[in-house]
Amino acid sequence: MEQTTKKNGFASGIGFVLAAAGSAVGLGNLWGFPYKTSANGGAAFVLVYILCVLFMGSIAMISEIFIGKRAQSNTVTAYKKIKKKMGWIGLLVIAVPTIIVCYYTVLGGWTLRFAVNSFQGANGLSNATSFVSFTADPIVPVVFTVLFMALAALIIMAGVKNGIEKYSKILMPALFIILVGIVIFSLTLGPGTESGLAFFLQPDFSELGFDGVVAAMGQAFFSLSLGMGTMIAYGSYTGKEIKLGKSAMMICIFDTLVALLAGLAMFPAISALMGEEFLLGLGAGASGPGLIYVVLPQVFSAMGGVGQFVSFAFFAMVVIAALTSVISIMEVSVQFIIQRFKTNRKKTTLIVASVCSLVSIPIAWSVGGAFDGGLNLFGYDFLTFLDEIANTLLMPLGAFGACLGVGWFIDKKLTANPMKTLRSLREEGVELGVFMKIYAVMVKFITPILILFVMLSGIVGKVGENGPSYWWIVGAGVLIVAFLVLAYFKFFYKTDCGENADEEKLEKTKA
Ligand code: TRP
């Protein structure tokens, strides 16, 4: 008979938590969160963000890990095991992350380049012009993107235990230590830090609109790696020994803590070294990329000699964060292909990484050209176009599906009676103590409704804000979903899509 210990699962509970935290902590925390905070008026946004984590994120987190743990399989099989007709959601949460990989690695590549370049001083990338000319270069950003992808692929090839878990256990503590160090440094920069702190910590609700609320929800899902299969896939590699509720809470808390620390690292330094006027919207014209690729390099060079070291520490930390995230996004499709087509891990990873690298090249060109109107779709550079589809539409949809699945469909007889649901959840290791009943109500009613509401009003708001061209983004999203539904019922509905045990069997036959 088979051994009970898993060959290719996480070896320990803490290994799982660190790997999942590694997935969650990424560019979303170190870049997205501070720049969205800045764009949406500061502390009020932070407060709303925390509410989103509490009322939507944590509920979806528990649900996704639960779905994976219960199924011990890739996301398609996992949703099939809930209800066969829901299998297409499993396919959706494989396809969308694979799109995300293609632009996430472009940003990861930039970060790698900035880390390498930290010691170049004023001749390096310390001003806006150098950033624009760097990203507009047709070769260098692509080289760094592929390099970054190769690093991620090497880790995935080594497997869940010997790759993902092993590196997360080293890299996550390292990241945290660097971050705390930078926060301390930043808070001791002297006069001028107070206004940065106040901006980040004292809410002024007149600065926050409903679009800020929508942004906070999107940001929470993105930052917690939700709605995109990651937590289902990682959850599937856990066994009975994991305390699901506790692990989910630890992941949410750690992810939020890192986002808050990132704010504490940046805002005081920006106000102290650049001036208060840089806090809101991060100075005139500095959009998203502006924060870590334009403003921060200027902050580092204002620090004088130590700035080079701080810059290196900072960008090395961002590389770590992005790397442990990208491996989790890629693992979702690698897992599915291995199990459905019985291919081996190394070959599968190589193919996925190569295809994504190819797609990332035009994306890199498009973002670079965006500053002077190069490659674009309906006026959006490719990165923004794809990011909008994922963030505003498909990610909330995936999280909605996870809540609906656990709340209503996992077992008709059980979900009809909330008390039985609770008991069965407990048997599966979802132990939340007094919060158990709250979870049952949230996952069934409140969270799905909230997600749907914010998602729909988000679309309306975005169309109002960006004009009718935004309908192309919505249309593309709908098209992707329609295509995946068709593909699912045609190719995967009747076929067995495999489970984790298949990879173990594959390895055995090879050995
Ligand atoms: N959470 C990561 C970040 O904050 C990105 C990420 C990893 C992600 N896996 C994901 C986002 C799955 C959405 C879905 O940068």
Side-chain angles (χ1 to χ4, degrees):
M1 271 314 287
E2 304 271 296
Q3 279 175 300
T4 42
T5 47
K6 293 191 200 169
K7 271 188 85 181
N8 196 31
F10 291 111
S12 65
I14 186 71
F16 163 67
V17 171
L18 284 175
S23 166
V25 171
L27 293 170
N29 306 61
L30 300 177
W31 170 27
F33 177 75
Y35 103 67
K36 283 177 192 166
T37 299
S38 163
N40 290 291
F45 177 85
V46 178
L47 211 66
V48 174
Y49 176 81
I50 292 175
L51 293 177
C52 288
V53 172
L54 277 177
F55 290 103
M56 293 185 265
S58 64
I59 306 296
M61 177 70 75
I62 297 168
S63 310
E64 289 200 8
I65 300 175
F66 176 59
I67 290 173
K69 181 170 183 279
R70 172 179 181 272
Q72 300 286 307
S73 73
N74 64 74
T75 58
V76 175
T77 304
Y79 271 102
K80 273 178 139 178
K81 282 187 179 173
I82 294 178
K83 190 176 171 57
K84 211 168 168 200
K85 288 209 177 91
M86 283 183 98
W88 66 271
I89 303 178
L91 203 59
L92 175 77
V93 301
I94 289 170
V96 184
T98 311
I99 300 175
I100 295 181
V101 170
C102 301
Y103 65 79
Y104 206 93
T105 46
V106 172
L107 303 170
W110 290 359
T111 316
L112 200 57
R113 163 75 170 169
F114 274 70
V116 171
N117 240 34
S118 291
F119 298 101
Q120 237 91 66
N123 304 317
L125 296 161
S126 59
N127 60 57
T129 335
S130 49
F131 174 70
V132 172
S133 58
F134 159 62
T135 51
D137 187 285
I139 310 284
V140 185
V142 173
V143 171
F144 277 89
T145 301
V146 174
L147 214 65
F148 184 80
M149 174 69 96
L151 285 177
L154 282 176
I155 298 179
I156 298 178
M157 281 181 186
V160 176
K161 190 180 354 180
N162 300 323
I164 299 175
E165 180 172 6
K166 184 173 136 196
Y167 288 98
S168 304
K169 272 172 138 169
I170 306 168
L171 295 174
M172 291 320 288
L175 177 147
F176 195 72
I177 291 169
I178 299 175
L179 181 57
V180 171
I182 297 179
V183 170
I184 294 172
F185 180 79
S186 167
L187 289 176
T188 49
L189 283 171
T193 51
E194 301 88 10
S195 50
L197 274 177
F199 177 74
F200 188 55
L201 297 174
Q202 286 174 7
D204 172 1
F205 282 93
S206 64
E207 296 284 351
L208 186 77
F210 189 72
D211 52 333
V213 177
V214 176
M217 180 185 80
Q219 175 61 24
F221 286 146
F222 188 88
S223 184
L224 293 167
S225 302
L226 293 171
M228 288 294 96
T230 305
M231 291 301 168
I232 300 178
Y234 274 20
S236 83
Y237 293 123
T238 68
K240 284 264 176 280
E241 71 281 1
I242 267 101
K243 291 215 170 51
L244 198 157
K246 203 171 135 199
S247 306
M249 287 306 122
M250 279 163 72
I251 299 162
C252 290
I253 291 171
F254 188 73
D255 186 69
T256 308
L257 184 67
V258 169
L260 294 175
L261 287 174
L264 282 183
M266 291 177 201
F267 292 113
I270 292 173
S271 68
L273 296 170
M274 310 274 297
E276 264 179 63
E277 66 280 11
F278 272 84
L279 291 170
L280 189 65
L282 283 160
S287 59
L291 172 56
I292 69 171
Y293 301 108
V294 179
V295 177
L296 287 188
Q298 285 172 267
V299 173
F300 296 136
S301 67
M303 287 172 186
V306 279
Q308 300 184 0
F309 296 93
V310 183
S311 166
F312 181 73
F314 177 81
F315 282 111
M317 168 181 79
V318 186
V319 169
I320 292 174
L323 196 61
T324 49
S325 294
V326 109
I327 59 179
S328 75
I329 316 181
M330 238 164 47
E331 174 62 24
V332 182
S333 51
V334 169
Q335 180 193 35
F336 174 70
I337 295 171
I338 292 174
Q339 296 176 7
R340 167 64 189 83
F341 301 100
K342 316 290 180 245
T343 51
N344 83 38
R345 177 168 282 269
K346 288 207 170 69
K347 234 182 262 162
T348 311
T349 310
L350 207 62
I351 293 171
V352 173
S354 308
V355 172
C356 290
S357 290
L358 281 179
V359 179
S360 68
I361 295 174
I363 298 178
W365 287 340
S366 172
V367 197
F371 299 102
D372 44 26
L375 287 174
N376 69 75
L377 271 174
F378 314 108
Y380 301 92
D381 68 76
F382 296 169
L383 193 154
T384 308
F385 193 82
L386 297 173
D387 190 46
E388 283 292 334
I389 297 178
N391 264 321
T392 351
L393 299 164
L394 303 180
M395 231 178 280
L397 194 64
F400 179 75
C403 292
L404 228 57
V406 175
W408 295 89
F409 297 111
I410 247 182
D411 184 335
K412 264 280 154 61
K413 271 173 266 137
L414 286 178
T415 43
N417 178 340
M419 290 325 281
K420 279 195 186 155
T421 314
L422 287 182
R423 199 184 317 141
S424 80
L425 286 176
R426 252 189 220 122
E427 276 157 17
E428 296 275 358
V430 187
E431 185 50 81
L432 298 165
V434 285
F435 296 111
M436 208 60 198
K437 284 182 193 155
I438 301 181
Y439 171 72
V441 176
M442 294 293 291
V443 77
K444 215 169 159 127
F445 304 105
I446 301 179
T447 305
I449 293 173
L450 271 176
I451 295 176
L452 215 58
F453 172 72
V454 181
M455 180 173 115
L456 294 177
S457 33
I459 295 172
V460 176
K462 294 260 182 174
V463 171
E465 188 185 318
N466 296 282
S469 73
Y470 201 83
W471 284 117
W472 290 107
I473 288 176
V474 179
V478 173
L479 219 65
I480 291 175
V481 173
F483 173 77
L484 291 171
V485 171
L486 279 178
Y488 171 70
F489 283 101
K490 185 141 177 58
F491 299 112
F492 302 111
Y493 182 69
K494 290 213 185 90
T495 340
D496 174 12
C497 291
E499 53 190 18
N500 290 359
D502 291 330
E503 186 178 353
E504 288 157 34
K505 272 184 225 144
L506 264 164
E507 269 169 26
K508 245 179 223 157
T509 49
K510 200 189 62 190

